[in-house]
Amino acid sequence: RLRGKVESLTIKGHDPKVSKHVTVSLGVASVIPGENGGKDALVSSADKALYRAKADGRNRVRVSE
């Protein structure tokens, strides 16, 4: 929903070659404290998912694997 809300604002982008309007790409992750390495593992997983979202064409949501 967040990605769609930002897109629906139709805020003019600064580089029309990239996108006419501002959009967001999101990397989503979750961990169980104590089982998956804590905050560093969470940030790393979300970061990897974010870069996958951008590589897949931007303005996307990707969940960590």
Side-chain angles (χ1 to χ4, degrees):
R1 283 189 270 169
L2 176 62
R3 187 207 55 78
K5 289 282 188 182
V6 170
E7 186 177 22
S8 73
L9 294 172
T10 61
I11 299 168
K12 185 178 179 182
H14 71 277
D15 186 352
K17 290 178 251 167
V18 174
S19 179
K20 189 175 180 179
H21 297 104
V22 171
T23 61
V24 294
S25 293
L26 302 166
V28 180
S30 66
V31 297
I32 298 170
E35 291 185 22
N36 298 100
K39 66 180 180 180
D40 292 334
L42 176 64
V43 172
S44 178
S45 292
D47 192 50
K48 288 175 186 172
L50 171 62
Y51 281 96
R52 264 196 345 271
K54 289 181 176 186
D56 288 346
R58 300 183 178 229
N59 195 27
R60 307 201 188 268
V61 178
R62 293 295 178 258
V63 178
S64 68
E65 298 175 355

